[in-house]
Amino acid sequence: MLSEHLQQQCQSPDSISSGLAISPDRSPGDISKEMYDSHNLVDVEAKMPKERGIASGTDLELVRKCGNFGDTKPSELFLRTFGDVLLTLEKDRVAGAVSPSLIGTTGVVPFAVIGPLHDVVRHMSNLIVRAEKEVLLATNYWMASDATRLITDALLELSKRAGARGQKIPVKIMYDRGNVKQVFDNHQPVGQSEYTGKSIKIPPPEEIPNIDLSVVNFHRPMLGTFHAKFMIVDRQIAITQSNNIQDNDNVEMMAQLEGPIVDSLWETFLLSWHNSIQPLNCINERAADKPAPTFLQESFKDLLTPEGIFKLPDVKQYDSSLPEHMPGDPQYDVDVAGEINRMHSMLSPKTADETRPECIARHLNIPTKLSLAATAPAIDPPQHFFPFIPIPPHAPVPIALVSRKPHGTPLHNSLHVPQNAAFLSVIAHARHSIFIQTPDLNASPLYEALLSALRRGIDVTYYVCLGYNDAGELLPGQNGTNEMFANSLYSALRTDATGDQAAQDAAVERLTIHYYVAADQVRPIHNKFKQRSCHIKLLIADSHLAIQGSGNQDTQSWWQSQEVNVMIDSAVVCKAWREGIERNQNTRQYGMASRRDGCWYDSEGKLAEGSLGTDPGKFAWAKGIVGAVNRARGAGGF
């Protein structure tokens, strides 16, 4: 049961954002401390309760009133999960890196990207150049590369456009590059000499005279990584994403959000920044007070059939001669429809005999400059690989921010936080099915949660990346590789204490594990080769509730890192996302693991090249140390 005081704070119009609007020269951290006796640098030390407290219909009605859900009708699954999320705030009101009054809200999701990292950053760059007031960008890792060049090209263009309008646009960038000074001050301002240096390569002030730039390096030692990845433009459009800003071989996911949820994410940026954040141009301009912009565009509506089906390339005519939007040669579009038209052009055959898989391979090779050939067969009709996903217009839907603050102490005592409560509650209360895609799945609380779901008749399907961070996952306390965890699940299902063989076999059949296979390939490629990997973080339950953002299903994300995720209650959005997942990879067709041991085998019964199988060997701890060093250097995946 929720305390009366927490209910009052959830229903209050007051928030850290409103406090900042009254006193703009104060720091968000000070305002948070005054209002809630906590802020983003106060550790949450709380274990998961043995029993959940939200059960009755009366309780669920109280839960609904604790969110600003308007005329929407949250599902029972959403409310039960949201109730469990709210219980985490009893000990720390800002455990979710946002005020209690902004954690439950509404919004729309007009657009998503599921594709190679550069495609996400292409859309980010277009949003940046269209900015009219301010840009707030948060990422885990920023490394000078073609990916960052897409962003810095956009900053140069934004400065030109702002100058033509007689404006100066605040741009705030926050990332995590470990620095010994963070032992004394977790937020290190990044000076011009550093951010213009070879590792970062952000333009100097003289090249962007109409941008007021601030850069902060945030890390909470020892292990409190700032792993959040999101951006807010003009306090009107927000994106939550899986990617860092550095070149790699990952397929990633981004969701564009509009409406009141943008105010929640805007405040999360303030709380994460912690210190004084002036100047800001949108301090008194709430997204909740304005219509969501994308669904108002006629060009966007034309992307979909009257039934709301995306007009893919074989249906909609498009210009196949548009120049590609590339680092150093940017090509900006006025709206999402223009970006989609340009993407059609990028994915069109460049020669008369280029097959669809070859087009896809060419596109996936761009971020890494590889020349990996396609192995997937050309089929008729051709594969509909297309990273840009417009979502049918819909009324506002219930959304909750289910995030977590960073926890620096290297102890597993920061579990009862909004993100983890949401993951476990969705799994506990799902009635039909659970789908997960994540680079790693090995967080120990998931073990019993998934086994319990399978034993009560829930179909569980999850996609992971073969070998993702295998070395790092072999460190003590990290719970092993994806193959080891998968094997432990199947083994446990076969040794159920009831001894009911039929029930055991049925539970095994309900668990389906796949290893990521790229859209141009016919087999998983181990992450150590850095050729085709997947970094998406998504959970969908019962085809209508989704959690998407930066949180992995591994030990680091569950106990240590700051994460930002949204929980969305919409069958329309979930359908579009799941279709995009399947359309833009071959995982379902070619990546299924053996139910015998959770590993992937080829047609000859051989493990994939590089696979450690279920036994990494007696020196696994040494491999783990190497993995940890690579992570610290930015060479590993996050």
Side-chain angles (χ1 to χ4, degrees):
M1 186 66 178
L2 301 174
S3 69
E4 186 174 341
H5 186 236
L6 176 58
Q7 292 177 51
Q8 291 172 350
Q9 289 180 314
C10 288
Q11 296 167 17
S12 168
D14 298 329
S15 65
I16 297 163
S17 304
S18 64
L20 190 68
I22 295 169
S23 305
D25 292 329
R26 295 187 67 192
S27 73
D30 286 345
I31 294 171
S32 179
K33 180 67 174 175
E34 180 181 281
M35 293 182 69
Y36 304 118
D37 195 31
S38 184
H39 52 60
N40 209 48
L41 303 185
V42 174
D43 285 342
V44 178
E45 297 185 2
K47 295 181 179 180
M48 197 67 69
K50 293 182 179 180
E51 296 183 3
R52 294 180 173 84
I54 307 299
S56 71
T58 302
D59 286 344
L60 292 180
E61 178 59 20
L62 288 176
V63 168
R64 188 190 64 78
K65 291 179 179 179
C66 287
N68 295 304
F69 300 126
D71 295 331
T72 68
K73 296 180 179 179
S75 66
E76 181 180 335
L77 177 58
F78 182 93
L79 288 176
R80 287 187 179 278
T81 303
F82 185 56
D84 285 338
V85 167
L86 291 178
L87 287 172
T88 69
L89 306 186
E90 293 286 10
K91 185 169 185 177
D92 185 334
R93 295 297 195 258
V94 291
V98 71
S99 296
S101 57
L102 292 178
I103 197 168
T105 184
T106 64
V108 297
V109 189
F111 185 62
V113 179
I114 297 176
L117 178 142
H118 277 200
D119 290 339
V120 175
V121 184
R122 285 185 175 94
H123 182 58
M124 294 175 69
S125 68
N126 270 286
L127 291 176
I128 289 169
V129 301
R130 294 177 203 144
E132 297 181 351
K133 295 178 181 176
E134 67 184 28
V135 177
L136 311 180
L137 191 163
T139 189
N140 166 234
Y141 202 78
W142 176 294
M143 178 183 288
S145 56
D146 282 349
T148 60
R149 181 68 185 273
L150 285 164
I151 299 294
T152 56
D153 284 347
L155 294 177
L156 293 167
E157 179 65 19
L158 174 62
S159 181
K160 292 177 185 177
R161 296 186 183 190
R165 298 191 298 260
Q167 291 179 295
K168 193 154 189 173
I169 305 290
V171 174
K172 315 288 186 184
I173 297 175
M174 182 164 42
Y175 54 66
D176 184 338
R177 293 175 65 93
N179 185 315
V180 67
K181 295 179 182 178
Q182 287 163 330
V183 172
F184 308 101
D185 185 351
N186 299 169
H187 294 83
Q188 289 294 313
V190 181
Q192 179 183 335
S193 62
E194 183 177 351
Y195 73 65
T196 59
K198 65 179 183 179
S199 297
I200 308 297
K201 288 189 177 179
I202 294 174
E206 59 267 24
E207 293 184 16
I208 47 173
N210 303 301
I211 287 178
D212 192 326
L213 177 69
S214 302
V215 183
V216 163
N217 179 6
F218 173 37
H219 182 87
R220 188 148 173 76
M222 297 170 49
L223 301 178
T225 301
F226 182 66
H227 191 246
K229 309 146 197 295
F230 63 108
M231 184 175 79
I232 306 102
V233 175
D234 293 346
R235 202 172 171 178
Q236 283 287 284
I237 294 174
I239 62 171
T240 52
Q241 59 207 98
S242 63
N243 62 288
N244 301 312
I245 316 294
Q246 62 180 130
D247 288 346
N248 57 45
D249 63 311
N250 290 342
V251 160
E252 305 277 3
M253 180 174 180
M254 180 227 79
Q256 180 166 317
L257 302 137
E258 300 174 10
I261 181 61
V262 176
D263 293 325
S264 304
L265 287 161
W266 189 81
E267 182 174 287
T268 291
F269 191 94
L270 304 186
L271 198 63
S272 303
W273 191 271
H274 186 69
N275 297 316
S276 178
I277 196 169
Q278 289 300 329
L280 288 173
N281 286 344
C282 296
I283 199 166
N284 291 304
E285 299 187 19
R286 300 193 316 154
D289 297 330
K290 299 179 181 179
T294 300
F295 285 156
L296 299 177
Q297 300 168 2
E298 290 299 323
S299 60
F300 182 87
K301 297 175 185 176
D302 189 49
L303 296 168
L304 302 147
T305 68
E307 297 75 30
I309 300 171
F310 178 31
K311 299 174 184 176
L312 285 161
D314 59 335
V315 177
K316 184 180 184 298
Q317 294 299 311
Y318 62 94
D319 185 348
S320 62
S321 63
L322 290 173
E324 297 184 6
H325 177 29
M326 299 294 286
D329 184 21
Q331 308 290 330
Y332 301 113
D333 295 293
V334 298
D335 53 23
V336 167
E339 294 179 57
I340 286 176
N341 199 32
R342 193 175 301 279
M343 181 59 68
H344 282 310
S345 181
M346 290 183 71
L347 288 169
S348 64
K350 301 307 178 188
T351 62
D353 59 351
E354 188 177 44
T355 66
R356 186 63 177 168
E358 289 170 342
C359 290
I360 298 169
R362 169 170 48 80
H363 192 69
L364 293 176
N365 283 332
I366 289 173
T368 54
K369 299 180 175 64
L370 294 171
S371 56
L372 185 68
T375 58
I379 59 175
D380 188 25
Q383 293 94 329
H384 285 306
F385 174 89
F386 199 77
F388 287 177
I389 304 167
I391 296 171
H394 50 272
V397 299
I399 303 179
L401 201 55
V402 291
S403 306
R404 65 158 296 141
K405 299 193 295 185
H407 184 69
T409 307
L411 299 173
H412 288 181
N413 60 353
S414 180
L415 183 62
H416 194 216
V417 296
Q419 171 193 264
N420 301 345
F423 286 146
L424 291 176
S425 188
V426 168
I427 294 170
H429 294 124
R431 293 184 175 181
H432 308 292
S433 63
I434 296 164
F435 170 81
I436 300 171
Q437 180 148 29
T438 178
D440 298 311
L441 194 150
N442 63 2
S444 57
L446 287 171
Y447 182 74
E448 290 298 336
L450 291 174
L451 289 176
S452 177
L454 290 159
R455 287 166 178 159
R456 73 172 193 271
I458 306 301
D459 292 327
V460 175
T461 299
Y462 73 76
Y463 297 175
V464 287
C465 186
L466 182 64
Y468 207 92
N469 271 338
D470 265 4
E473 302 304 335
L474 291 172
L475 279 170
Q478 297 302 301
N479 244 31
T481 68
N482 284 327
E483 291 163 294
M484 294 165 66
F485 194 83
N487 180 56
S488 69
L489 287 174
Y490 279 123
S491 297
L493 292 173
R494 287 196 177 88
T495 56
D496 191 308
T498 64
D500 185 335
Q501 187 66 49
Q504 293 172 7
D505 292 345
V508 167
E509 289 298 313
R510 284 192 287 269
L511 175 60
T512 307
I513 299 171
H514 290 73
Y515 293 94
Y516 169 73
V517 179
D520 64 329
Q521 300 296 312
V522 295
R523 59 190 296 143
I525 298 177
H526 195 282
N527 177 249
K528 78 174 188 177
F529 297 109
K530 306 301 179 187
Q531 294 176 334
R532 296 286 189 269
S533 302
C534 190
H535 198 235
I536 290 169
K537 304 101 164 33
L538 176 67
L539 183 155
I540 296 176
D542 293 349
S543 301
H544 70 83
L545 187 142
I547 300 175
Q548 180 271 338
S550 67
N552 296 319
Q553 301 295 348
D554 63 9
T555 299
Q556 176 69 25
S557 282
W558 272 66
W559 271 279
Q560 309 291 166
S561 297
Q562 177 164 344
E563 308 289 358
V564 170
N565 312 285
V566 288
M567 180 172 71
I568 298 171
D569 194 7
S570 170
V572 170
V573 173
C574 289
K575 181 175 184 291
W577 285 359
R578 188 64 196 273
E579 288 176 350
I581 288 285
E582 301 303 344
R583 188 165 67 236
N584 293 320
Q585 55 188 290
N586 286 342
T587 305
R588 182 169 61 182
Q589 296 94 312
Y590 301 116
M592 186 172 173
S594 166
R595 287 193 170 98
R596 185 181 73 252
D597 62 2
C599 296
W600 183 88
Y601 294 89
D602 65 16
S603 59
E604 298 178 353
K606 296 178 181 177
L607 291 169
E609 184 178 0
S611 168
L612 297 177
T614 60
D615 183 6
K618 58 177 68 173
F619 294 107
W621 58 270
K623 298 174 185 176
I625 292 173
V626 172
V629 171
N630 283 336
R631 277 191 173 193
R633 292 175 52 243
F638 273 112

